[in-house]
Amino acid sequence: MAASEARERLLRTASELFYREGIHAVGVDRIVNEAGITRATFYRHFPGKEDLVEAYLDEEDAHIRAAFAEAGAQSDEPRRLLELVIEGLADDVALHHTRGCPFINASAEYPDAGSAVRATVARHRSWFRETLEQLLAADGNADPALAAGELVLLRDAAMVGGYLDGWERVRPSFVAAARRAAGIPV
Amino acid sequence: MAASEARERLLRTASELFYREGIHAVGVDRIVNEAGITRATFYRHFPGKEDLVEAYLDEEDAHIRAAFAEAGAQSDEPRRLLELVIEGLADDVALHHTRGCPFINASAEYPDAGSAVRATVARHRSWFRETLEQLLAADGNADPALAAGELVLLRDAAMVGGYLDGWERVRPSFVAAARRAAGIPV
DNA sequence: GAAATGATAGAACGATCTTTCTCTTTTTGC
DNA sequence: GCAAAAAGAGAAAGATCGTTCTATCATTTC
């Protein structure tokens, strides 16, 4: 049951278009044309466009969790892991996510908090917050919940600021604030 | 030269719809129906929908500048002004901007950095950053540019976090981080 | 080899999108 | 009171939206 090649091309193309140009701004025509498939193939793999949006966000979520797992494989020390996470975030904004945060951008287009898309966003954010909190607690942080909250704040800010103001302008403030929030001496 | 009443109703209705539901998600039909005007009136006052979007963002910009001016009228002390700004930001997210930041949300839908909408966003953000920097410099901050950068970060984060996670969850982290960033003892 | 599944091709659906048009009525300024 | 500007109503343009359809071809599976 290897995922079909057409399906993978479809999802990859849609993800890139959604991220780069926005969701409502990209029509099904664009997607199927650039993916080199037909509408029939599209609707055989996904019930509708919104399910494709969910798959796009699920994929982003999986990427980030994989990056965390990879960092976890590099070190067992909580302090070192926190540093890796902060560095990884900075690199990610600088190199890959230069058009903002996929989850934040999608939420701007999906105001209904009960929608499936927003539920996917909420799931991702909960996982991120809880993972940071556990990491901070393992590092002996005095108030892991508060510190995790600050790191979530700063990740959002880095994504937005990197997109709208340019990363080179945001980087110093972000790194300084993030290390302080995590209780890591600068 | 009083702005016509129909135009005001149009802009007010459009602003609310754009903010609450997103820009691409709201059609001209919705706007003119809910504003109680006709398409002809719409296109007499604005060349097109995008100009209405710009007017919406300009209005948001004017509101925030007015709030700053009002704070400036309350005190001449830079330190007190910084506190007022941080408190005002927190209250604004809690009470009015519960659907995120109008500029960030609009930018999610307008990926072209050269577009008129994005230019309006950039103008607003430059003004905000520079105003903060001057305020911090007047307060004797050691590195006003860095601190202003951190406050911009934190405002973005507060807007996004308040929308997606709920303000009560974000507030403590925001206030603590903002006062620290501005060099105000907690 | 037959049957089932997945992909291709392309037309077509109704709905909605932004914009433009004509015509009539109301308000405003001098 | 008259001329000019603004707002009203409503049709209609042409494009694009998401979705569904029929029919054909390729590939796999038992």
Side-chain angles (χ1 to χ4, degrees):
Chain A
M1 75 199 72
S4 93
E5 195 224 326
R7 196 196 125 107
E8 259 187 49
R9 234 181 323 147
L10 165 60
L11 183 51
R12 185 148 356 115
T13 305
S15 295
E16 201 178 311
L17 286 175
F18 286 156
Y19 181 62
R20 279 212 324 249
E21 308 197 12
I23 296 171
H24 289 338
V26 174
V28 173
D29 273 18
R30 274 286 298 290
I31 297 173
V32 298
N33 282 340
E34 299 206 9
I37 62 165
T38 62
R39 280 178 197 72
T41 306
F42 175 97
Y43 283 99
R44 186 165 304 108
H45 286 289
F46 294 92
K49 189 191 177 188
E50 188 155 324
D51 304 84
L52 188 58
V53 176
E54 288 173 49
Y56 150 58
L57 293 178
D58 279 334
E59 214 185 27
E60 286 285 342
D61 177 69
H63 280 156
I64 298 175
R65 296 196 193 214
F68 264 71
E70 197 191 337
Q74 280 186 37
S75 172
D76 285 343
E77 232 185 309
R79 170 61 52 99
R80 178 81 194 113
L81 265 178
L82 281 170
E83 290 179 329
L84 282 175
V85 165
I86 292 174
E87 283 171 26
L89 268 170
D91 289 345
D92 180 57
V93 177
L95 300 175
H96 301 301
H97 283 118
T98 56
R99 234 285 288 180
C101 170
F103 301 97
I104 294 174
N105 289 353
S107 298
E109 299 200 58
Y110 286 83
D112 179 8
S115 68
V117 168
R118 286 287 298 280
T120 302
V121 172
R123 234 179 299 124
H124 171 72
R125 291 179 72 85
S126 293
W127 166 83
F128 185 64
R129 180 187 296 268
E130 284 160 20
T131 303
L132 285 179
E133 194 173 330
Q134 287 168 14
L135 211 50
L136 288 158
D139 188 48
N141 191 290
D143 193 341
L146 185 89
E150 287 193 39
L151 285 181
V152 171
L153 274 183
L154 287 168
R155 180 186 80 139
D156 291 341
M159 290 273 188
V160 170
Y163 172 35
L164 296 180
D165 300 331
W167 179 238
E168 62 286 352
R169 186 161 215 173
V170 173
R171 182 177 231 289
S173 307
F174 168 74
V175 173
R179 294 183 68 96
R180 250 190 293 151
I184 303 175
V186 188
Chain B
M1 172 98 18
S4 94
E5 196 225 324
R7 197 197 124 106
E8 260 187 47
R9 234 181 322 148
L10 166 59
L11 183 51
R12 183 147 0 112
T13 304
S15 295
E16 202 178 311
L17 286 175
F18 286 157
Y19 181 62
R20 280 213 322 250
E21 310 196 11
I23 295 171
H24 288 337
V26 173
V28 172
D29 272 18
R30 274 285 297 289
I31 298 172
V32 298
N33 282 340
E34 298 205 11
I37 63 167
T38 62
R39 280 180 197 71
T41 306
F42 175 98
Y43 284 99
R44 188 166 302 110
H45 286 289
F46 295 92
K49 190 192 176 188
E50 188 155 325
D51 303 85
L52 188 58
V53 176
E54 287 173 49
Y56 150 59
L57 292 178
D58 279 335
E59 215 185 27
E60 287 284 341
D61 177 70
H63 280 156
I64 296 175
R65 296 197 193 213
F68 264 72
E70 196 190 337
Q74 279 186 40
S75 173
D76 285 342
E77 233 184 307
R79 171 60 51 98
R80 178 81 194 113
L81 265 178
L82 281 170
E83 290 179 329
L84 282 175
V85 164
I86 292 174
E87 284 170 25
L89 268 170
D91 289 346
D92 181 56
V93 177
L95 300 175
H96 301 302
H97 283 117
T98 55
R99 236 285 288 180
C101 170
F103 301 97
I104 293 173
N105 288 354
S107 298
E109 299 199 57
Y110 286 84
D112 179 9
S115 68
V117 168
R118 286 287 299 280
T120 302
V121 172
R123 235 179 297 124
H124 170 73
R125 291 179 71 87
S126 293
W127 165 83
F128 186 64
R129 181 188 295 269
E130 284 161 18
T131 303
L132 285 179
E133 193 172 331
Q134 287 168 14
L135 210 50
L136 288 159
D139 187 47
N141 190 290
D143 192 340
L146 184 88
E150 287 194 39
L151 285 181
V152 171
L153 274 184
L154 287 169
R155 180 185 82 138
D156 291 340
M159 290 273 188
V160 169
Y163 172 37
L164 295 181
D165 299 331
W167 179 237
E168 62 285 351
R169 187 160 214 174
V170 173
R171 181 179 231 289
S173 307
F174 168 74
V175 174
R179 294 182 70 96
R180 251 191 292 152
I184 303 176
V186 188

